[in-house]
Amino acid sequence: MRVLAGFALAIVSLAAFAAPPDASIQEIVVSDWRHSDHRSYRSMLDGMDVFEKFHAMAPDAALRFKIISRNKPDSAATLHLAIVGDTNAIPVPLAEDLSFTLVRDDAAKKDDAIVGSNRRDPSFVWVPDIRTPGLPPTVRRLGDLRLECMVNWAAKIRPPILAPAGYAVAALTESPCLSAMFHPLFIADRALFNITLQSGPRRQQISANWFFGANAPPGVLELTELRFFYDRLYVLPLADKSWDDDTMVEFDYMDDEAK
């Protein structure tokens, strides 16, 4: 990837980051992007294309991306993102939950731009965030999560954890997220206690061996960024068509008042 080949510094104006009208214009100087925490803009556009193609799986949801800090919590007030290429930079506004959307920019795509932060690599886990509006904060929709997996696979923003045979199967499958041999790990909002699937009168708890990365290949999880989130990791039966996209995924968290 060409990263700021034409110059050493990129100065990104952050006036568009919803600052108060009387606030002074902030500037962030980003140097040496090779060592910043970033992802390929082209790859993230590929994920956006998949979302549009399979939007029917989550018809009421919008696509956002999200960064999750690996260590101490981060604030949108001090954390900044931008689409940065060799010749231009586009600020990316962050919501309070550190989620964001990306604009489509032909010049940035041709420029082989990156979506970068003002943090060193590695600081975050990057994930798609697809949520049907109107649901309680402890409930997700299975179709949204299926599509999250598909977007992540296309965007290459968080590498999957697979046994060697799993990569071979994925290479031969148009949609590995819907393969029974593919068990992607998701990161919950908080430390998990239990997950229950609800579809009409059918109700079922997730098996205990689908929590905390227990189904990951031995020794592999410890080598990845997900080792910082053991108590939040889970797997869902994405390939089981008996659970339709409208299935509700109900989360119980360790810090809930009652279990």
Side-chain angles (χ1 to χ4, degrees):
M1 176 187 294
R2 304 186 314 278
V3 182
L4 299 183
F7 48 88
L9 300 178
I11 301 178
V12 181
S13 172
L14 296 178
F17 277 78
D22 59 346
S24 60
I25 295 177
Q26 300 180 26
E27 288 186 339
I28 175 173
V29 179
V30 183
S31 61
D32 197 1
W33 280 85
R34 290 169 298 176
H35 301 295
S36 74
D37 202 321
H38 66 268
R39 292 298 184 271
S40 163
Y41 177 63
R42 283 183 179 176
S43 292
M44 296 185 81
L45 289 177
D46 290 341
M48 293 164 63
D49 290 341
V50 166
F51 177 79
E52 292 177 2
K53 181 177 180 180
F54 296 99
H55 196 185
M57 296 176 65
D60 298 324
L63 171 62
R64 298 185 68 82
F65 296 98
K66 188 173 184 178
I67 49 179
I68 306 173
S69 298
R70 293 182 6 159
N71 296 309
K72 61 182 181 180
D74 261 300
S75 165
T78 59
L79 177 63
H80 305 297
L81 294 185
I83 302 169
V84 179
D86 290 343
T87 57
N88 67 342
I90 305 169
V92 177
L94 273 174
E96 287 300 317
D97 65 353
L98 303 187
S99 67
F100 60 95
T101 60
L102 291 177
V103 298
R104 290 184 179 272
D105 187 273
D106 289 339
K109 182 178 180 180
K110 292 178 181 178
D111 212 14
D112 199 15
I114 59 173
V115 182
S117 72
N118 60 330
R119 295 286 190 275
R120 292 288 180 174
D121 182 37
S123 298
F124 313 112
V125 174
W126 299 60
V127 297
D129 194 51
I130 300 172
R131 297 177 186 249
T132 294
L135 296 178
T138 57
V139 177
R140 302 289 303 276
R141 184 176 169 277
L142 188 59
D144 298 1
L145 291 160
R146 282 178 170 136
L147 191 50
E148 272 191 15
C149 176
M150 296 166 67
V151 169
N152 181 70
W153 182 265
K156 302 179 180 67
I157 57 175
R158 183 165 60 82
I161 297 175
L162 300 174
Y167 285 100
V169 171
L172 299 174
T173 306
E174 180 183 7
S175 185
C177 292
L178 305 182
S179 167
M181 296 187 66
F182 192 75
H183 301 293
L185 287 164
F186 292 90
I187 304 175
D189 294 335
R190 308 198 301 278
L192 283 165
F193 178 74
N194 187 47
I195 297 178
T196 304
L197 301 180
Q198 176 79 51
S199 179
R202 184 184 179 194
R203 188 172 176 85
Q204 179 178 311
Q205 290 186 351
I206 292 295
S207 173
N209 64 355
W210 281 17
F211 286 94
F212 315 135
N215 67 328
V220 174
L221 191 61
E222 290 75 11
L223 302 176
T224 75
E225 58 199 6
L226 294 182
R227 69 185 183 277
F228 295 93
F229 303 96
Y230 276 114
D231 58 355
R232 295 166 60 178
L233 298 179
Y234 66 97
V235 171
L236 292 171
L238 302 185
D240 187 347
K241 295 181 179 179
S242 69
W243 296 104
D244 63 26
D245 286 342
D246 288 324
T247 297
M248 296 293 105
V249 185
E250 302 174 3
F251 293 85
D252 295 309
Y253 296 106
M254 289 291 188
D255 57 3
D256 288 343
E257 292 184 1
K259 303 294 191 294

